[in-house]
Amino acid sequence: MLKVLSDKAILSRMDKVFLVYIMANRKHGTIYTGVTSDPAGRVWQHKNHVFKGSFTDRYDCDKLVWYEVHDDPEAAITREKRIKDWHRPWKDRLIEAMNPDWRDLSADVGL
């Protein structure tokens, strides 16, 4: 089931959440789609280039520009895979529906 959370709600949840997310290096730049059960830790890893030589490190994808919260891990993984298969214009529209300016949303949601 998809959950819509208000600002800073991700970290205040007591139950497990699964985040499908898109990181970018700039507006209409390179993007990376992922899924995690540790939103704060995973975004921190991207921002701090923890995995040297990884895709997000090489392309400097360190801005959280879109996310979706799920309470079911299988649903989150399925959603991530579907988004990865999309054409790029579809992904851009998905991002811009939530975040027209491609701002880094990590601080807005407490990450």
Side-chain angles (χ1 to χ4, degrees):
M1 178 176 164
L2 174 65
K3 304 242 181 187
V4 177
L5 297 180
S6 62
D7 293 353
K8 305 204 189 269
I10 290 174
L11 292 182
S12 65
R13 300 246 331 209
M14 296 303 289
D15 51 336
K16 192 82 160 172
V17 296
F18 303 91
L19 196 74
V20 181
Y21 63 94
I22 299 176
M23 304 292 292
N25 61 355
R26 60 182 167 78
K27 187 172 185 175
H28 298 289
T30 303
I31 62 173
Y32 170 83
T33 304
V35 65
T36 184
S37 62
D38 178 16
R42 190 68 178 118
V43 170
W44 183 88
Q45 289 171 340
H46 288 302
K47 289 184 164 301
N48 290 281
H49 303 269
V50 170
F51 301 107
K52 300 298 181 200
S54 68
F55 182 89
T56 56
D57 177 53
R58 287 192 321 268
Y59 292 96
D60 201 29
C61 296
D62 60 2
K63 294 162 192 59
L64 177 67
V65 294
W66 178 87
Y67 66 91
E68 194 174 81
V69 179
H70 295 261
D71 58 7
D72 175 53
E74 291 179 20
I77 292 166
T78 298
R79 177 71 164 155
E80 177 210 22
K81 288 179 180 178
R82 286 185 180 152
I83 292 170
K84 283 185 172 188
D85 285 341
W86 286 5
H87 297 284
R88 177 58 190 258
W90 299 356
K91 295 174 191 179
D92 288 352
R93 284 195 296 273
L94 181 69
I95 293 165
E96 290 174 356
M98 173 185 274
N99 185 6
D101 297 324
W102 292 56
R103 292 183 312 105
D104 185 354
L105 302 174
S106 57
D108 294 359
V109 293
L111 300 176

